[in-house]
Amino acid sequence: QVQLVESGGGLVQAGGSLRLSCAASGTIRSINAMGWYRQAPGKQRELVATISSDGSTNYADFVKGRFAISRDNAKKTVFLQMNSLKPEDTAVYYCNMRGVGPLWRAFDSWGQGTQVTVSS
């Protein structure tokens, strides 16, 4: 079973920065895609950014130029550097990883979520 543990959320003023981390544990053969999603109160979960195994990235339009996703394959960790935060970025942020786990079976795992609150 692959488990993801997130850290780095918190309260920050508008214009500030936060860095989220998400580390995977368990029997992992390979990790293909890693990503961050968020869910604000009363809204559906939405994609923030993804990074593939070759390092190519994809960002939602609302974070382009402000957020940066990166990964450390050796540590099985994905990061989200968030700069120029806005009150509308307030949400629970979830990490997601997909790859091959125990018994060479595909996995699609989610973290427990970390709260990010941006005050105006």
Side-chain angles (χ1 to χ4, degrees), residues 15-96:
S17 299
L18 283 174
R19 188 180 192 227
L20 305 183
S21 299
C22 174
S25 62
T27 302
I28 298 172
R29 307 293 182 183
S30 64
I31 301 175
N32 302 324
M34 297 180 173
W36 289 94
Y37 295 74
R38 71 185 188 186
Q39 187 167 18
K43 295 187 177 182
Q44 290 187 331
R45 189 173 299 187
E46 59 185 357
L47 180 145
V48 176
T50 61
I51 183 167
S52 62
S53 57
D54 64 2
S56 59
T57 59
N58 178 54
Y59 294 94
D61 287 342
F62 54 77
V63 302
K64 283 182 179 178
R66 300 188 298 125
F67 291 10
I69 189 170
S70 60
R71 61 190 283 171
D72 184 330
N73 292 324
K75 295 183 178 179
K76 301 174 185 174
T77 300
V78 61
F79 305 95
L80 185 68
Q81 178 66 44
M82 305 186 293
N83 300 324
S84 302
L85 282 160
K86 305 175 181 179
E88 51 264 43
D89 293 319
T90 295
V92 177
Y93 283 71
Y94 298 90
C95 70
N96 171 260

